[in-house]
């Protein structure tokens, strides 16, 4: 006969094997888009995240951590290129591509044409290029950062010919002037909304009486 501890160990091992058999293989072919902090209750980081949430009207901290992961990948690429010699073909080719990406998104100006400036990028610089922030800044009748998010989510905003309902959409510098109200939106001269049509019908009925 086995002891109690031995029986518990055998039972636990069998349960784990059955669980693995039922789960099967993991065929996920995408990487994580969010970096989970190693210290969950770090006060300074929590306070900084809450300030960003309030200032830029974000839904949750996942949006901040998604940007943080993109920023860390940019910095990592810049650091690896800075370790190479200045005349190295890889540094010249990939460094130019990295700088063009930052210029196109408006994260850096044309005068900041060095890889060292990428290491100085911060989360607020990314937040300033979000569609939600640009809509508020360009006076699209948005009364607050939260109202700007509602306008985007309710499909009132387009970028060029593309209807965008994602507040975290990163606006390129050359497309910032193409932001306008959607042609299907009541704010852009489209069909009135459901409540407006109902009120108009009610008013018309009252006038007939």
């Amino acid at each position: 006969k086995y002891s109690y501890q031995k029986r518990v160990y055998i039972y636990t091992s069998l349960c784990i094997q059955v669980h693995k058999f039922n789960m099967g293989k993991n065929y996920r072919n995408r990487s994580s888009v969010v970096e989970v902090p190693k210290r969950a209750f770090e006060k300074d980081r929590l306070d900084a995240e809450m300030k960003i949430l309030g200032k830029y009207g974000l839904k949750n901290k996942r949006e901040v951590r998604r940007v943080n992961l993109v920023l860390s990948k940019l910095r990592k690429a810049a650091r690896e290129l800075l370790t190479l010699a200045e005349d190295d073909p890889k540094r010249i080719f990939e460094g130019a591509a990295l700088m063009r990406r930052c210029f196109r998104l408006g994260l850096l100006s044309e005068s900041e044409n060095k890889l060292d400036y990428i290491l100085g990028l911060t989360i607020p610089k990314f937040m300033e290029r979000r569609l939600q922030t640009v809509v508020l800044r360009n006076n699209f009748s948005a009364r607050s950062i939260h109202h700007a998010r509602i306008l985007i989510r309710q499909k009132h905003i387009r970028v060029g010919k593309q209807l965008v309902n994602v507040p975290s959409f990163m606006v390129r510098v050359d497309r910032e002037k193409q932001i306008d109200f959607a042609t299907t939106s009541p704010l852009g001269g489209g069909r009135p909304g459901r409540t407006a049509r109902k009120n108009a019908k009610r008013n018309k009925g009252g006038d007939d009486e």
Side-chain angles (χ1 to χ4, degrees):
K1 292 183 178 180
Y2 295 110
S3 63
Y4 175 74
Q5 288 82 2
K6 186 70 174 179
R7 291 200 302 270
V8 171
Y9 175 76
I10 294 172
Y11 177 73
T12 307
S13 302
L14 288 173
C15 288
I16 292 173
Q17 290 176 9
V18 170
H19 182 64
K20 286 183 177 179
F21 177 77
N22 291 334
M23 284 181 62
K25 292 184 178 179
N26 182 11
Y27 292 102
R28 191 179 75 168
N29 60 353
R30 57 183 174 81
S31 59
S32 177
V33 296
V34 178
E35 188 176 27
V36 180
K38 294 179 181 178
R39 297 179 61 188
F41 301 104
E42 190 176 2
K43 185 178 184 303
D44 295 337
R45 180 184 52 77
L46 291 173
D47 292 342
E49 287 177 348
M50 288 302 294
K51 285 182 181 178
I52 293 173
L53 253 70
K55 182 177 180 181
Y56 295 100
L58 307 182
K59 180 182 177 183
N60 49 37
K61 292 181 181 179
R62 182 183 173 86
E63 294 191 277
V64 181
R65 290 165 186 172
R66 190 192 306 139
V67 172
N68 203 13
L69 182 60
V70 174
L71 181 58
S72 64
K73 287 182 178 179
L74 270 177
R75 286 175 178 166
K76 181 181 178 182
R79 278 196 300 269
E80 288 179 355
L81 292 174
L82 284 170
T83 58
L84 303 175
E86 291 188 3
D87 56 347
D88 190 288
K90 181 179 179 181
R91 175 170 176 172
I92 294 171
F93 181 76
E94 294 187 9
L98 201 61
M99 296 305 299
R100 280 197 304 272
R101 180 184 175 190
C102 293
F103 296 152
R104 191 164 58 242
L105 290 175
L107 301 173
L108 296 175
S109 62
E110 294 288 342
S111 59
E112 299 172 327
N113 194 6
K114 285 186 179 180
L115 290 171
D116 297 315
Y117 288 104
I118 295 179
L119 302 179
L121 288 176
T122 57
I123 292 178
K125 285 193 175 182
F126 277 84
M127 294 298 175
E128 290 293 334
R129 299 308 306 168
R130 284 165 51 98
L131 180 61
Q132 183 179 353
T133 312
V134 174
V135 166
L136 178 66
R137 190 168 60 234
N138 291 357
N139 297 324
F140 281 96
S141 69
R143 294 186 292 272
S144 66
I145 192 72
H146 305 288
H147 187 207
R149 187 182 186 95
I150 291 170
L151 290 176
I152 296 167
R153 290 296 298 159
Q154 294 182 353
K155 300 181 180 180
H156 291 292
I157 303 295
R158 63 180 171 90
V159 181
K161 295 181 180 180
Q162 179 184 2
L163 182 68
V164 181
N165 66 339
V166 181
S168 60
F169 180 85
M170 294 295 286
V171 182
R172 295 180 182 178
V173 176
D174 57 339
R175 300 197 71 184
E176 188 168 351
K177 294 181 180 178
Q178 300 175 6
I179 300 175
D180 202 355
F181 288 115
T183 55
T184 55
S185 168
L187 301 174
R191 185 188 183 195
R194 178 175 58 86
T195 306
R197 295 197 306 271
K198 187 187 294 184
N199 293 337
K201 187 177 180 179
R202 186 185 299 124
N203 294 335
K204 186 178 179 181
D207 294 341
D208 293 341
E209 292 177 0

